[in-house]
Amino acid sequence: MTQVREAREDEREQVFALRHAVFVVEQGVPLEEEMDSEDETATHLVVANGFDIAATCRLVPSVHGRLRLGRMAVAPHERRQGLAGALLTEAAARAIAGGFSTIVLHAQTDILPLYAQAGYEPVGERFMDCGIEHQTMELRVV
């Protein structure tokens, strides 16, 4: 069974290293776009595989009862094992527990089926971010 939990303080460097490997190295996102000040206050969720972080995402409270999910990254050798889905399930549970009504995210369009399967719906037009096509997606949790 996959366990999703909040990253411990001593795991944050591993979280950032995984994101760097996926976004900066694999996808070519500029480092200054990948890391930002929200990393200091965000809740970072992880799936750990032994001592290694296999997957992560961050949650940032937004306005009007919305929770923003972002920076979801799964290690290449851990993909297609349900880890991203487990992160989405935990994010929804935390949104409900935190009194949020909606989770919003900017999904890379090549993985839209993952979010649609979890109940997310597209909002607005597709757009480019860091040279990658994205779609805003929302999930109403209450």
Side-chain angles (χ1 to χ4, degrees), residues 103-124:
I103 300 175
V104 63
L105 56 84
H106 294 158
Q108 294 180 7
T109 56
D110 63 332
I111 57 170
L112 289 177
L114 167 74
Y115 297 109
Q117 184 177 18
Y120 285 79
E121 296 183 2
V123 176

Side-chain angles (χ1 to χ4, degrees), residues 1-8 10-12 14-15 18 44-57 73-75 77-78 81-84 86-87:
M1 183 171 151
T2 302
Q3 182 186 13
V4 180
R5 60 174 171 74
E6 194 167 330
R8 297 186 312 258
D10 66 328
E11 294 173 320
R12 290 177 74 104
Q14 283 189 65
V15 165
L18 173 58
H44 298 271
L45 299 180
V46 297
V47 177
N49 182 358
F51 294 107
D52 296 321
I53 301 301
T56 187
C57 72
V74 179
H77 62 282
E78 299 283 358
Q81 296 183 42
L83 304 185
L87 287 167

Side-chain angles (χ1 to χ4, degrees), residues 38-136:
E38 289 184 337
D39 283 320
E40 294 301 318
T41 58
T43 298
H44 298 271
L45 299 180
V46 297
V47 177
N49 182 358
F51 294 107
D52 296 321
I53 301 301
T56 187
C57 72
R58 74 178 187 187
L59 303 175
V60 179
S62 190
V63 296
H64 308 297
R66 299 159 71 90
L67 184 64
R68 269 189 306 112
L69 186 148
R71 305 301 200 270
M72 184 178 311
V74 179
H77 62 282
E78 299 283 358
R79 292 180 184 156
R80 304 217 179 273
Q81 296 183 42
L83 304 185
L87 287 167
L88 293 175
T89 298
E90 180 65 17
R94 286 175 179 253
I96 292 166
F100 295 96
S101 63
T102 305
I103 300 175
V104 63
L105 56 84
H106 294 158
Q108 294 180 7
T109 56
D110 63 332
I111 57 170
L112 289 177
L114 167 74
Y115 297 109
Q117 184 177 18
Y120 285 79
E121 296 183 2
V123 176
E125 301 295 319
R126 292 181 179 189
F127 60 95
M128 297 299 287
D129 187 13
C130 297
I132 302 169
E133 188 178 46
H134 284 72
Q135 171 72 55
T136 300

Side-chain angles (χ1 to χ4, degrees), residues 9-23:
E9 189 63 34
D10 66 328
E11 294 173 320
R12 290 177 74 104
E13 287 305 315
Q14 283 189 65
V15 165
F16 300 144
L18 173 58
R19 286 178 25 193
H20 184 274
V22 170
F23 297 122

